[in-house]
Amino acid sequence: MSDSNDDTDIQSEASDEEKINSGSVINNKTDLPLGRALTKETSYSITAKEKSIRVMIVGPVGCGKTTLITAIYHLFQESPVDNRYYFAGSQTLWSFEQRAFHARLSSNKTSAQMPKTRVGNDEVLHLKIWDSKEKSYYNLLISDISGEDISAAIANVAIMKDDFDIISSANYFAIVLDGEKIVNIENMHSTITVGCELFRTVNDAKLITDSTNIQILVSKNDIIREKMSEGVEFDGIEQLESKFNSLAVELNKTISI
């Protein structure tokens, strides 16, 4: 009887193993996110299921775009934003922490060196937010495109339309301009001109609509404030506002600066 029972046990185990190997038995299998940045395609699995807001942040190389994205992540880690919005998780924690790691190291340096977004990658970063007032969750999807890639498409409507069609799905479209260059008389005009050309190219490619919230952001405001405290006279911000507002009227778009 003992031998018979042992044989039965062995047959039972073999049978279970066969079932597992054949794929007919899968017990509570869950694929956990690796934490790396999403692509446009993989982000659809989020937007298809839950309320989501897409934010597109673009700008030339070194404008401070990646630093801004990291600051948004840090903002939600420190405390509820506006005492209302709470961090509720992320599928791209590894990518956020990778960016944040360099920011933390740079905080003790005289010159911050933030790693640039890799060329050829339209990375999408994910934050899940709890709105305590509305009692609901939503997803914040922030697209991070390399400055080299976006600069190569300026004044080329075909490339902009073909390579950056993800912009058309953005609820918020933000152009980041380097504040340090805007307060420098040698770089001021070229920096503003590049920003305006970027805005025009995206519009001509029909990637932004009347419902898109368009924002022009000036980075490195600590440097601007330092220049002002030193009594340095400059009109870069005024010129930026004037040129972008004129362009917005010409293109029949509403913008915030």
Side-chain angles (χ1 to χ4, degrees), residues 163-185:
D163 293 354
F164 303 107
D165 60 305
I166 190 174
I167 294 176
S168 63
S169 64
N171 303 98
Y172 290 83
F173 175 71
I175 296 175
V176 182
L177 297 179
D178 191 332
E180 184 175 14
K181 292 182 177 179
I182 290 174
V183 298
N184 185 321
I185 189 63

PDB file of all heavy atoms in Angstrom, residues 163-185:
ATOM      1  N   ASP A 163       7.463  62.697 -36.328  1.00  0.00           N
ATOM      2  CA  ASP A 163       8.229  62.173 -35.195  1.00  0.00           C
ATOM      3  C   ASP A 163       7.622  62.510 -33.838  1.00  0.00           C
ATOM      4  O   ASP A 163       7.904  61.821 -32.851  1.00  0.00           O
ATOM      5  CB  ASP A 163       9.672  62.686 -35.232  1.00  0.00           C
ATOM      6  CG  ASP A 163      10.454  62.128 -36.413  1.00  0.00           C
ATOM      7  OD1 ASP A 163       9.904  61.265 -37.118  1.00  0.00           O
ATOM      8  OD2 ASP A 163      11.597  62.555 -36.626  1.00  0.00           O
ATOM      9  N   PHE A 164       6.804  63.552 -33.767  1.00  0.00           N
ATOM     10  CA  PHE A 164       6.304  63.992 -32.469  1.00  0.00           C
ATOM     11  C   PHE A 164       4.781  64.113 -32.454  1.00  0.00           C
ATOM     12  O   PHE A 164       4.222  65.044 -31.878  1.00  0.00           O
ATOM     13  CB  PHE A 164       6.951  65.328 -32.083  1.00  0.00           C
ATOM     14  CG  PHE A 164       8.445  65.278 -32.048  1.00  0.00           C
ATOM     15  CD1 PHE A 164       9.201  65.901 -33.036  1.00  0.00           C
ATOM     16  CD2 PHE A 164       9.104  64.578 -31.053  1.00  0.00           C
ATOM     17  CE1 PHE A 164      10.579  65.829 -33.013  1.00  0.00           C
ATOM     18  CE2 PHE A 164      10.486  64.508 -31.020  1.00  0.00           C
ATOM     19  CZ  PHE A 164      11.228  65.131 -32.014  1.00  0.00           C
ATOM     20  N   ASP A 165       4.120  63.146 -33.085  1.00  0.00           N
ATOM     21  CA  ASP A 165       2.661  63.160 -33.110  1.00  0.00           C
ATOM     22  C   ASP A 165       2.062  62.970 -31.724  1.00  0.00           C
ATOM     23  O   ASP A 165       0.888  63.256 -31.498  1.00  0.00           O
ATOM     24  CB  ASP A 165       2.135  62.070 -34.044  1.00  0.00           C
ATOM     25  CG  ASP A 165       2.571  60.676 -33.607  1.00  0.00           C
ATOM     26  OD1 ASP A 165       3.786  60.462 -33.457  1.00  0.00           O
ATOM     27  OD2 ASP A 165       1.700  59.810 -33.407  1.00  0.00           O
ATOM     28  N   ILE A 166       2.890  62.510 -30.752  1.00  0.00           N
ATOM     29  CA  ILE A 166       2.407  62.355 -29.377  1.00  0.00           C
ATOM     30  C   ILE A 166       1.954  63.691 -28.798  1.00  0.00           C
ATOM     31  O   ILE A 166       1.108  63.750 -27.901  1.00  0.00           O
ATOM     32  CB  ILE A 166       3.503  61.727 -28.484  1.00  0.00           C
ATOM     33  CG1 ILE A 166       2.913  61.346 -27.114  1.00  0.00           C
ATOM     34  CG2 ILE A 166       4.699  62.663 -28.331  1.00  0.00           C
ATOM     35  CD1 ILE A 166       3.881  60.586 -26.222  1.00  0.00           C
ATOM     36  N   ILE A 167       2.488  64.792 -29.340  1.00  0.00           N
ATOM     37  CA  ILE A 167       2.089  66.121 -28.852  1.00  0.00           C
ATOM     38  C   ILE A 167       0.596  66.341 -29.041  1.00  0.00           C
ATOM     39  O   ILE A 167      -0.055  67.011 -28.235  1.00  0.00           O
ATOM     40  CB  ILE A 167       2.898  67.215 -29.580  1.00  0.00           C
ATOM     41  CG1 ILE A 167       4.379  67.111 -29.214  1.00  0.00           C
ATOM     42  CG2 ILE A 167       2.374  68.612 -29.238  1.00  0.00           C
ATOM     43  CD1 ILE A 167       5.276  68.106 -29.958  1.00  0.00           C
ATOM     44  N   SER A 168       0.033  65.755 -30.088  1.00  0.00           N
ATOM     45  CA  SER A 168      -1.388  65.977 -30.389  1.00  0.00           C
ATOM     46  C   SER A 168      -2.313  65.438 -29.305  1.00  0.00           C
ATOM     47  O   SER A 168      -3.474  65.855 -29.207  1.00  0.00           O
ATOM     48  CB  SER A 168      -1.748  65.328 -31.734  1.00  0.00           C
ATOM     49  OG  SER A 168      -1.565  63.920 -31.676  1.00  0.00           O
ATOM     50  N   SER A 169      -1.810  64.525 -28.471  1.00  0.00           N
ATOM     51  CA  SER A 169      -2.642  63.967 -27.395  1.00  0.00           C
ATOM     52  C   SER A 169      -2.458  64.702 -26.073  1.00  0.00           C
ATOM     53  O   SER A 169      -3.076  64.344 -25.071  1.00  0.00           O
ATOM     54  CB  SER A 169      -2.305  62.487 -27.200  1.00  0.00           C
ATOM     55  OG  SER A 169      -0.961  62.321 -26.772  1.00  0.00           O
ATOM     56  N   ALA A 170      -1.613  65.739 -26.055  1.00  0.00           N
ATOM     57  CA  ALA A 170      -1.301  66.445 -24.805  1.00  0.00           C
ATOM     58  C   ALA A 170      -2.438  67.362 -24.365  1.00  0.00           C
ATOM     59  O   ALA A 170      -2.996  68.107 -25.168  1.00  0.00           O
ATOM     60  CB  ALA A 170      -0.014  67.251 -24.960  1.00  0.00           C
ATOM     61  N   ASN A 171      -2.758  67.299 -23.085  1.00  0.00           N
ATOM     62  CA  ASN A 171      -3.685  68.277 -22.500  1.00  0.00           C
ATOM     63  C   ASN A 171      -2.954  69.584 -22.200  1.00  0.00           C
ATOM     64  O   ASN A 171      -3.535  70.666 -22.305  1.00  0.00           O
ATOM     65  CB  ASN A 171      -4.284  67.716 -21.218  1.00  0.00           C
ATOM     66  CG  ASN A 171      -4.992  66.392 -21.419  1.00  0.00           C
ATOM     67  OD1 ASN A 171      -4.429  65.331 -21.170  1.00  0.00           O
ATOM     68  ND2 ASN A 171      -6.228  66.435 -21.910  1.00  0.00           N
ATOM     69  N   TYR A 172      -1.683  69.452 -21.804  1.00  0.00           N
ATOM     70  CA  TYR A 172      -0.841  70.609 -21.515  1.00  0.00           C
ATOM     71  C   TYR A 172       0.423  70.515 -22.369  1.00  0.00           C
ATOM     72  O   TYR A 172       1.078  69.463 -22.394  1.00  0.00           O
ATOM     73  CB  TYR A 172      -0.441  70.659 -20.033  1.00  0.00           C
ATOM     74  CG  TYR A 172      -1.585  70.993 -19.108  1.00  0.00           C
ATOM     75  CD1 TYR A 172      -2.466  70.002 -18.679  1.00  0.00           C
ATOM     76  CD2 TYR A 172      -1.796  72.299 -18.661  1.00  0.00           C
ATOM     77  CE1 TYR A 172      -3.521  70.301 -17.836  1.00  0.00           C
ATOM     78  CE2 TYR A 172      -2.847  72.600 -17.816  1.00  0.00           C
ATOM     79  CZ  TYR A 172      -3.708  71.600 -17.407  1.00  0.00           C
ATOM     80  OH  TYR A 172      -4.754  71.888 -16.575  1.00  0.00           O
ATOM     81  N   PHE A 173       0.747  71.603 -23.056  1.00  0.00           N
ATOM     82  CA  PHE A 173       1.948  71.665 -23.876  1.00  0.00           C
ATOM     83  C   PHE A 173       2.794  72.834 -23.384  1.00  0.00           C
ATOM     84  O   PHE A 173       2.354  73.980 -23.407  1.00  0.00           O
ATOM     85  CB  PHE A 173       1.585  71.863 -25.352  1.00  0.00           C
ATOM     86  CG  PHE A 173       2.779  72.062 -26.249  1.00  0.00           C
ATOM     87  CD1 PHE A 173       3.638  71.007 -26.524  1.00  0.00           C
ATOM     88  CD2 PHE A 173       3.038  73.298 -26.807  1.00  0.00           C
ATOM     89  CE1 PHE A 173       4.738  71.190 -27.347  1.00  0.00           C
ATOM     90  CE2 PHE A 173       4.128  73.498 -27.634  1.00  0.00           C
ATOM     91  CZ  PHE A 173       4.992  72.434 -27.905  1.00  0.00           C
ATOM     92  N   ALA A 174       3.997  72.521 -22.893  1.00  0.00           N
ATOM     93  CA  ALA A 174       4.850  73.558 -22.294  1.00  0.00           C
ATOM     94  C   ALA A 174       6.180  73.645 -23.014  1.00  0.00           C
ATOM     95  O   ALA A 174       6.852  72.631 -23.233  1.00  0.00           O
ATOM     96  CB  ALA A 174       5.069  73.260 -20.813  1.00  0.00           C
ATOM     97  N   ILE A 175       6.562  74.864 -23.384  1.00  0.00           N
ATOM     98  CA  ILE A 175       7.885  75.128 -23.952  1.00  0.00           C
ATOM     99  C   ILE A 175       8.739  75.750 -22.858  1.00  0.00           C
ATOM    100  O   ILE A 175       8.359  76.770 -22.273  1.00  0.00           O
ATOM    101  CB  ILE A 175       7.792  76.082 -25.156  1.00  0.00           C
ATOM    102  CG1 ILE A 175       6.992  75.432 -26.286  1.00  0.00           C
ATOM    103  CG2 ILE A 175       9.190  76.472 -25.643  1.00  0.00           C
ATOM    104  CD1 ILE A 175       6.753  76.360 -27.475  1.00  0.00           C
ATOM    105  N   VAL A 176       9.884  75.126 -22.581  1.00  0.00           N
ATOM    106  CA  VAL A 176      10.787  75.619 -21.542  1.00  0.00           C
ATOM    107  C   VAL A 176      11.929  76.378 -22.197  1.00  0.00           C
ATOM    108  O   VAL A 176      12.592  75.870 -23.112  1.00  0.00           O
ATOM    109  CB  VAL A 176      11.353  74.462 -20.693  1.00  0.00           C
ATOM    110  CG1 VAL A 176      12.253  75.013 -19.586  1.00  0.00           C
ATOM    111  CG2 VAL A 176      10.220  73.636 -20.091  1.00  0.00           C
ATOM    112  N   LEU A 177      12.183  77.601 -21.736  1.00  0.00           N
ATOM    113  CA  LEU A 177      13.289  78.410 -22.243  1.00  0.00           C
ATOM    114  C   LEU A 177      14.266  78.705 -21.112  1.00  0.00           C
ATOM    115  O   LEU A 177      13.872  78.893 -19.963  1.00  0.00           O
ATOM    116  CB  LEU A 177      12.766  79.710 -22.850  1.00  0.00           C
ATOM    117  CG  LEU A 177      11.840  79.536 -24.070  1.00  0.00           C
ATOM    118  CD1 LEU A 177      11.369  80.887 -24.576  1.00  0.00           C
ATOM    119  CD2 LEU A 177      12.556  78.777 -25.190  1.00  0.00           C
ATOM    120  N   ASP A 178      15.530  78.741 -21.461  1.00  0.00           N
ATOM    121  CA  ASP A 178      16.624  78.885 -20.501  1.00  0.00           C
ATOM    122  C   ASP A 178      16.696  80.325 -19.981  1.00  0.00           C
ATOM    123  O   ASP A 178      17.092  81.238 -20.703  1.00  0.00           O
ATOM    124  CB  ASP A 178      17.938  78.501 -21.186  1.00  0.00           C
ATOM    125  CG  ASP A 178      19.094  78.369 -20.214  1.00  0.00           C
ATOM    126  OD1 ASP A 178      19.078  79.046 -19.171  1.00  0.00           O
ATOM    127  OD2 ASP A 178      20.013  77.580 -20.510  1.00  0.00           O
ATOM    128  N   GLY A 179      16.316  80.519 -18.706  1.00  0.00           N
ATOM    129  CA  GLY A 179      16.328  81.852 -18.120  1.00  0.00           C
ATOM    130  C   GLY A 179      17.712  82.467 -18.042  1.00  0.00           C
ATOM    131  O   GLY A 179      17.870  83.689 -18.157  1.00  0.00           O
ATOM    132  N   GLU A 180      18.728  81.620 -17.870  1.00  0.00           N
ATOM    133  CA  GLU A 180      20.098  82.130 -17.799  1.00  0.00           C
ATOM    134  C   GLU A 180      20.512  82.778 -19.121  1.00  0.00           C
ATOM    135  O   GLU A 180      21.222  83.789 -19.139  1.00  0.00           O
ATOM    136  CB  GLU A 180      21.052  80.990 -17.450  1.00  0.00           C
ATOM    137  CG  GLU A 180      22.496  81.426 -17.256  1.00  0.00           C
ATOM    138  CD  GLU A 180      23.395  80.307 -16.804  1.00  0.00           C
ATOM    139  OE1 GLU A 180      22.976  79.134 -16.881  1.00  0.00           O
ATOM    140  OE2 GLU A 180      24.528  80.593 -16.377  1.00  0.00           O
ATOM    141  N   LYS A 181      20.041  82.214 -20.230  1.00  0.00           N
ATOM    142  CA  LYS A 181      20.364  82.782 -21.536  1.00  0.00           C
ATOM    143  C   LYS A 181      19.524  84.019 -21.834  1.00  0.00           C
ATOM    144  O   LYS A 181      19.970  84.929 -22.539  1.00  0.00           O
ATOM    145  CB  LYS A 181      20.161  81.731 -22.633  1.00  0.00           C
ATOM    146  CG  LYS A 181      21.161  80.592 -22.564  1.00  0.00           C
ATOM    147  CD  LYS A 181      20.952  79.605 -23.704  1.00  0.00           C
ATOM    148  CE  LYS A 181      22.010  78.501 -23.665  1.00  0.00           C
ATOM    149  NZ  LYS A 181      21.816  77.510 -24.753  1.00  0.00           N
ATOM    150  N   ILE A 182      18.320  84.045 -21.304  1.00  0.00           N
ATOM    151  CA  ILE A 182      17.440  85.186 -21.566  1.00  0.00           C
ATOM    152  C   ILE A 182      17.960  86.457 -20.888  1.00  0.00           C
ATOM    153  O   ILE A 182      17.752  87.569 -21.383  1.00  0.00           O
ATOM    154  CB  ILE A 182      16.004  84.858 -21.113  1.00  0.00           C
ATOM    155  CG1 ILE A 182      15.403  83.805 -22.052  1.00  0.00           C
ATOM    156  CG2 ILE A 182      15.108  86.099 -21.096  1.00  0.00           C
ATOM    157  CD1 ILE A 182      14.055  83.291 -21.642  1.00  0.00           C
ATOM    158  N   VAL A 183      18.655  86.308 -19.746  1.00  0.00           N
ATOM    159  CA  VAL A 183      19.203  87.494 -19.074  1.00  0.00           C
ATOM    160  C   VAL A 183      20.600  87.834 -19.585  1.00  0.00           C
ATOM    161  O   VAL A 183      21.209  88.791 -19.119  1.00  0.00           O
ATOM    162  CB  VAL A 183      19.250  87.300 -17.538  1.00  0.00           C
ATOM    163  CG1 VAL A 183      17.859  87.109 -16.979  1.00  0.00           C
ATOM    164  CG2 VAL A 183      20.147  86.128 -17.149  1.00  0.00           C
ATOM    165  N   ASN A 184      21.084  87.059 -20.553  1.00  0.00           N
ATOM    166  CA  ASN A 184      22.381  87.326 -21.170  1.00  0.00           C
ATOM    167  C   ASN A 184      22.146  87.976 -22.524  1.00  0.00           C
ATOM    168  O   ASN A 184      21.559  87.370 -23.423  1.00  0.00           O
ATOM    169  CB  ASN A 184      23.154  86.011 -21.326  1.00  0.00           C
ATOM    170  CG  ASN A 184      24.564  86.209 -21.848  1.00  0.00           C
ATOM    171  OD1 ASN A 184      24.807  87.032 -22.716  1.00  0.00           O
ATOM    172  ND2 ASN A 184      25.497  85.430 -21.315  1.00  0.00           N
ATOM    173  N   ILE A 185      22.609  89.207 -22.693  1.00  0.00           N
ATOM    174  CA  ILE A 185      22.323  89.965 -23.903  1.00  0.00           C
ATOM    175  C   ILE A 185      22.818  89.258 -25.155  1.00  0.00           C
ATOM    176  O   ILE A 185      22.238  89.384 -26.232  1.00  0.00           O
ATOM    177  CB  ILE A 185      22.935  91.386 -23.809  1.00  0.00           C
ATOM    178  CG1 ILE A 185      22.457  92.271 -24.961  1.00  0.00           C
ATOM    179  CG2 ILE A 185      24.450  91.309 -23.753  1.00  0.00           C
ATOM    180  CD1 ILE A 185      20.979  92.534 -24.984  1.00  0.00           C
TER     181      ILE A 185
END
